[in-house]
Amino acid sequence: MVETAKLIQGNQAIAEGAIYAGARFFAGYPITPSSEVAEECSRRMPRVGGVYMQMEDEIASMGAIVGASLAGVKSFTATSGPGFSLMQENLGFAVMAEVPCVVVNVQRSGPSTGLATKPAQSDIMQVRWGRHGDQIVIALSPSSVKECFDLTVQAFNLSEKFRVPVILAADEIVAHMRENFTPPAPGELQVIDRKKPTVPPEQYKPFEPESDGIAPLAAYGSEYVFHVTSSMHGPEGVSNNNPANATWKVSQLHKKLELYRDEIVLTKTFDVEDMDILLVAFGAVTRAARAAAVEARKTGIKAGVLQLVTVWPFPDRELAQLAGRVKTVVVPEMNYSGQVAGEVRRVLGPDPDIKQVNKFNGQIITPQDILKAII
Amino acid sequence: MKERYEIILAGSGGQGLIVCGMMLGEAAILEGKNVVQTQSYGIASRGGFSKAEVIIDRDEIIFQQVQKPDLVLALTEEAMEIYASGSPEIPVFYDTTLLKTRSGENLYGFPFTEMARELGHTGTANMIALGVMSAVTGLVKMESLAAVINKRFSGKVAEMNIKALNLGLALAAK
Amino acid sequence: MSHATGLKYLKKDSLPLMWCSGCGNGIVLAALLRAFEELGYGNHNTVVVTGIGCWGKADDYITTNALHTTHGRALAFATGIKAVNPKLNVVVLMGDGDGVTIGGNHFIHAARRNIDLTAIVVNNCNYGMTGGQFSATTPADSFTSTTAYGNPERELDICALAGVAGANYVARGTVYHGRALQNHIKEALNKKGFSLVEVVSPCPTHFGRNNKMKSAVNMLRWLKEKGVTREEYERMTGPEKNGYFVIGKLADRNAPDFNTRYEEIRARALGQ
């Protein structure tokens, strides 16, 4: 409805999406270009019964949201490159201890301090592999203010359902962009809460998966008393150094997501039915790719777009299925090395002509940049 | 009235260009349009080149950045250099209090800041500019801008901004 | 009146404890569990949060809720727990390396924020678990596995840091002075706001062996001799003070804790 549409910024939509999803704890440390998420939470959390905490650094922020989540409250943080680097160790803790939480990484130009106010998509591999130890993660990437909201809700849902941290890999463009947006009414979007134990408290094993592959999670302070550790542990949650147990545990952390791969991997397609060229894009660059496809068609070139809404796990099957129809695949992304292009090559092998469009100077990829690669 | 407008508001940090862009966007939303507002700025909160972009469209806005501006507001010499040298058919509005006067068919110079000062607050200069730009090009309706002012401000501040808007409208009549 | 033993909070199936013979951690654990019992803590409403280090293994032996975190970050995790559930008793067990060296920043800010946690920092003057390297509390000129010719750095006074950062309760005890230690821990647990008990404790395996106190008995003698009251310490002059440290209660105040302050701010946000 037009009457209730508002001009909303991406970062604000992320904060509102989190609150819609039931988040009632935010801990963070200010950093451009994510600070508006913290600012919005500082205003909203006290009014919705939640708590906003500004921690001493991003290490503490990540630790605090894990603690709060284990006390039964949906929790999240928001940061950008330098802060995301600091969060890695405790993010790995959330993977190991199977703690639901959401980490928003508004990507900006690097390395290091880089161009602090300018956009990039250069943390894609850090999102996937940034922590020590073998693990898989879920990462979603929004291309609009509406997707900032919707995918934040989705991130919480996936996080709660599978007991994993989920990363919202946004970029400075969507985070600072304002668009007309009508927030959904309560109940309009599905909101998933973590599965609670139903066994008698003395029988509860916090890391023993049920038949669906996922272990229920109690909350500190409930009638269930439980032990959580960063060390290798068995179903009871206490340290266990047995190799057989480690084999089980590491496999379990992977398998619980592999099992639900199709539910986790989200993509969108545009004009792919009759395409000769496939553009593969994610985040804000999706928009340039779509605009380029529209322009290309004006010159008789049939281009289509695959948007990787889920970046990790990588949408390999969806890509392979679409790429089978074309000879040329173009991957525009705001980084030097072609972090997603590398994945596209891994999936498609040597046959198709894979072209990269890379920009890494803080400037936005335009439809013209992409058109140059396909015309 | 056009289906789509691409607007650039350029100057330096602290001139209120982003808020100006937001108010323009909010007015367009009241008219049932789609809006994308983006900005580009440096690390300083004050000073340094700053730009707000607004796209208004009846249809979905795919690419989020302005590619061919229909309209430019320039509040510094630097901004003027960048945008006034472009196509002569793009109207460029600029502040003659802050910039040297230029001649050109597409150049609309008005003493926005001077007029705002006389009105009582230099902060209303952007509203005078929005008024004249909308009146000349049909960007958004005066009622929509007035509604946005009354939503954002109250009392004397709202009153002053409405006066500024009307000053802009009167400039267009000249 | 029967004395609390604290045994009901000890996970007997985890015995024997992994700590070296002569280590002070067992004495601190016993004091903590007895204090739990005297205060009537339940397993369900208590969370023991630990970092990484010898003392950070204590959660393995305690029957309450537990969270064994990353090195240096226990206070950050604990802060999140307390912030969303003020009814929980949240107790944070850290060593000197964990709590005030790698975790020094969190220590300062937990005290400044005055969040209602009780931190029990066992100070054995070195990193025991990794082989006795020097930490921020290793005395100057002491020998460790990474200060073969003596420590060029000065030691940090943990209690003074907590005091100036704003902790509501600060005390220093030793494992030699067991009864006093238990009372300090009990007072700290009872105190609303951030409370710290530093426990000076022997590490005969590393610090003692490297500094001519190879036997645990020698180390206990060291604690007995060097731990003095504030009055005794103040009577000493200049160089006499070298090697001595004050034990006892060092700060006790009642500034509002974080959760209380946040509820005040919330009321303001809601226009109440």
Side-chain angles (χ1 to χ4, degrees):
Chain A
M1 265 169 47
V2 168
E3 288 80 42
T4 54
K6 289 178 196 151
L7 189 67
I8 294 199
Q9 193 189 47
N11 275 336
Q12 203 182 349
I14 289 169
E16 293 299 334
I19 289 167
Y20 184 97
R24 291 297 179 269
F25 185 70
F26 176 96
Y29 186 88
I31 183 168
T32 302
S34 76
S35 297
E36 292 85 358
V37 180
E39 289 168 1
E40 185 71 6
C41 284
S42 76
R43 288 188 289 264
R44 296 277 285 127
M45 282 298 180
R47 299 176 63 91
V48 296
V51 175
Y52 166 85
M53 285 199 87
Q54 193 160 300
M55 299 301 289
E56 51 273 20
D57 57 28
E58 289 87 349
I59 299 172
S61 304
M62 190 66 224
I65 68 166
V66 168
S69 181
L70 286 170
V73 175
K74 289 187 189 179
S75 304
F76 80 121
T77 187
T79 189
S80 186
F84 189 60
S85 294
L86 287 178
M87 287 179 181
Q88 296 301 323
E89 188 190 11
N90 286 342
L91 187 52
F93 179 99
V95 172
M96 181 59 149
E98 303 185 65
V99 183
C101 56
V102 171
V103 176
V104 179
N105 176 19
V106 180
Q107 295 170 87
R108 72 185 214 191
S109 164
S112 194
T113 307
L115 298 163
T117 63
K118 302 297 179 191
Q121 294 175 304
S122 46
D123 300 349
I124 296 302
M125 282 297 160
Q126 188 191 19
V127 164
R128 175 64 186 87
W129 298 109
R131 298 148 301 284
H132 65 280
D134 206 4
Q135 57 195 261
I136 61 174
V137 293
I138 301 174
L140 312 176
S141 187
S143 71
S144 65
V145 169
K146 181 172 166 25
E147 284 184 358
C148 282
F149 188 101
D150 293 353
L151 294 186
T152 301
V153 176
Q154 187 70 18
F156 273 98
N157 286 348
L158 295 171
S159 157
E160 292 283 317
K161 183 163 181 184
F162 303 120
R163 275 187 70 172
V164 288
V166 174
I167 297 155
L168 189 76
D171 53 62
E172 188 275 342
I173 302 171
V174 286
H176 278 162
M177 176 195 299
R178 290 183 181 84
E179 291 186 282
N180 50 302
F181 171 63
T182 310
E188 203 175 318
L189 297 185
Q190 187 192 19
V191 169
I192 296 174
D193 295 328
R194 66 191 69 173
K195 194 170 63 173
K196 300 268 186 207
T198 51
V199 296
E202 63 278 9
Q203 288 171 25
Y204 176 52
K205 293 181 180 171
F207 299 95
E208 184 168 72
E210 293 183 332
S211 57
D212 62 356
I214 314 297
L217 180 59
Y220 290 144
S222 70
E223 56 179 336
Y224 293 88
V225 174
F226 63 109
H227 189 278
V228 177
T229 176
S230 53
S231 296
M232 195 62 72
H233 50 271
E236 311 78 17
V238 293
S239 298
N240 185 333
N241 294 336
N242 184 319
N245 178 71
T247 303
W248 166 78
K249 180 70 201 179
V250 175
S251 306
Q252 150 70 11
L253 291 178
H254 285 79
K255 279 180 185 160
K256 69 173 178 177
L257 292 187
E258 286 163 6
L259 189 62
Y260 293 93
R261 186 258 179 222
D262 290 349
E263 188 179 330
I264 296 165
V265 173
L266 308 170
T267 58
K268 289 183 184 174
T269 56
F270 304 92
D271 305 321
V272 293
E273 290 73 22
D274 61 344
M275 66 177 172
D276 298 318
I277 290 181
L278 174 63
L279 309 179
V280 179
F282 61 102
V285 174
T286 306
R287 304 172 74 123
R290 286 184 59 199
V294 170
E295 286 303 311
R297 278 176 185 268
K298 289 180 188 166
T299 68
I301 296 168
K302 291 176 189 159
V305 177
L306 169 65
Q307 179 191 354
L308 310 178
V309 177
T310 299
V311 179
W312 300 114
F314 195 72
D316 44 9
R317 283 177 225 157
E318 292 75 4
L319 170 66
Q321 194 242 327
L322 282 173
R325 306 184 200 167
V326 300
K327 287 205 174 66
T328 305
V329 177
V330 181
V331 189
E333 53 188 317
M334 289 187 289
N335 57 51
Y336 176 88
S337 51
Q339 298 185 11
V340 163
E343 285 299 296
V344 170
R345 278 199 188 86
R346 181 179 64 76
V347 172
L348 300 181
D351 289 342
D353 175 23
I354 297 168
K355 290 180 175 160
Q356 292 183 210
V357 177
N358 301 94
K359 231 168 172 177
F360 41 87
N361 58 359
Q363 290 185 323
I364 292 166
I365 291 181
T366 64
Q368 288 69 35
D369 294 331
I370 300 170
L371 281 169
K372 271 183 230 156
I374 58 180
I375 292 181
Chain B
M1 201 178 294
K2 273 162 54 85
E3 292 291 296
R4 178 183 174 98
Y5 286 98
E6 300 191 8
I7 304 110
I8 285 190
L9 311 168
S12 72
Q15 286 184 319
L17 290 167
I18 292 169
V19 173
C20 184
M22 286 167 66
M23 292 180 77
L24 176 59
E26 284 166 7
I29 289 173
L30 291 178
E31 296 174 14
K33 308 273 184 64
N34 289 309
V35 174
V36 174
Q37 187 268 316
T38 58
Q39 57 249 314
S40 171
Y41 62 101
I43 51 168
S45 292
R46 295 286 175 270
F49 181 72
S50 167
K51 175 180 72 166
E53 296 187 357
V54 184
I55 303 175
I56 299 170
D57 202 326
R58 281 247 166 252
D59 295 324
E60 185 192 5
I61 299 163
I62 299 177
F63 187 52
Q64 74 281 355
Q65 307 299 138
V66 168
Q67 296 195 276
K68 286 184 203 136
D70 298 294
L71 194 57
V72 173
L73 173 66
L75 294 185
T76 60
E77 293 288 352
E78 186 188 2
M80 196 71 183
E81 290 303 317
I82 296 170
Y83 294 104
S85 55
S87 325
E89 67 271 18
I90 298 170
V92 178
F93 292 76
Y94 67 103
D95 190 335
T96 53
T97 317
L98 308 173
L99 281 75
K100 61 176 190 271
T101 309
R102 292 160 161 83
S103 58
E105 271 194 22
N106 62 325
L107 302 183
Y108 298 83
F110 300 103
F112 297 130
T113 301
E114 185 55 38
M115 292 169 72
R117 197 177 290 132
E118 279 169 24
L119 194 61
H121 200 292
T122 53
T124 59
N126 291 346
M127 193 47 68
I128 303 175
L130 272 188
V132 64
M133 287 160 67
S134 300
V136 170
T137 64
L139 200 53
V140 287
K141 297 185 187 112
M142 287 300 135
E143 305 92 86
S144 309
L145 283 170
V148 170
I149 290 170
N150 285 321
K151 212 167 163 188
R152 274 189 168 253
F153 309 113
S154 60
K156 286 229 163 67
V157 183
E159 243 171 64
M160 202 184 284
N161 275 285
I162 295 285
K163 274 186 195 164
L165 185 62
N166 289 329
L167 277 178
L169 183 64
L171 283 178
K174 281 181 190 170
Chain C
M1 186 184 133
S2 67
H3 288 290
T5 61
L7 280 174
K8 65 173 178 174
Y9 301 96
L10 187 70
K11 274 189 186 168
K12 284 143 199 113
D13 52 354
S14 302
L15 297 174
L17 306 176
M18 56 83 72
W19 297 314
C20 305
S21 62
C23 172
N25 285 343
I27 294 171
V28 191
L29 179 64
L32 177 69
L33 300 188
R34 283 195 292 265
F36 279 3
E37 187 171 329
E38 286 181 4
L39 294 171
Y41 276 23
N43 286 326
H44 67 285
N45 65 2
T46 304
V47 188
V48 169
V49 185
T50 59
I52 303 293
C54 294
W55 178 229
K57 290 291 283 178
D59 59 277
D60 280 351
Y61 310 125
I62 302 174
T63 58
T64 66
N65 288 299
L67 177 59
H68 181 61
T69 69
T70 49
H71 189 40
R73 319 303 171 194
L75 283 168
F77 287 79
T79 295
I81 295 170
K82 189 70 189 190
V84 299
N85 190 346
K87 288 183 193 148
L88 288 169
N89 307 307
V90 185
V91 185
V92 189
L93 311 181
M94 303 171 289
D96 45 295
D98 194 37
V100 297
T101 311
I102 187 172
N105 199 28
H106 311 306
F107 185 83
I108 293 169
H109 292 283
R112 176 187 60 81
R113 212 172 267 130
N114 205 20
I115 184 133
D116 186 20
L117 307 172
T118 299
I120 314 286
V121 176
V122 172
N123 178 7
N124 64 6
C125 304
N126 72 169
Y127 291 96
M129 189 173 264
T130 51
Q133 299 82 9
F134 77 101
S135 80
T137 64
T138 304
D141 296 316
S142 297
F143 300 101
T144 69
S145 60
T146 48
T147 53
Y149 310 107
N151 182 13
E153 300 182 12
R154 295 175 294 178
E155 68 268 32
L156 177 72
D157 183 334
I158 302 174
C159 289
L161 179 62
V164 294
N168 259 1
Y169 181 91
V170 178
R172 185 185 287 118
T174 83
V175 297
Y176 177 80
H177 307 84
R179 191 72 212 173
L181 175 62
Q182 191 179 322
N183 286 336
H184 289 319
I185 291 176
K186 201 170 144 189
E187 283 185 336
L189 291 170
N190 256 339
K191 175 64 74 173
K192 202 166 188 188
F194 187 78
S195 53
L196 164 76
V197 179
E198 176 192 346
V199 189
V200 186
S201 179
C203 177
T205 303
H206 297 296
F207 189 76
R209 188 169 52 85
N210 286 325
N211 292 280
K212 296 181 181 156
M213 292 183 286
K214 200 173 175 183
S215 83
V217 175
N218 282 344
M219 294 212 79
L220 286 174
R221 268 196 206 112
W222 163 66
L223 296 178
K224 180 188 176 188
E225 186 192 325
K226 300 294 183 184
V228 296
T229 63
R230 195 201 294 255
E231 292 73 24
E232 287 170 322
Y233 189 76
E234 277 166 7
R235 253 182 268 132
M236 299 179 193
T237 53
E240 279 177 19
K241 290 182 170 166
N242 280 353
Y244 288 86
F245 53 89
V246 175
I247 56 173
K249 187 158 70 177
L250 301 167
D252 188 352
R253 52 199 163 212
N254 292 301
D257 70 302
F258 171 81
N259 288 93
T260 302
R261 287 285 298 137
Y262 199 82
E263 290 312 313
E264 287 170 18
I265 299 300
R266 187 196 305 286
R268 221 183 274 170
L270 295 171
Q272 291 164 352

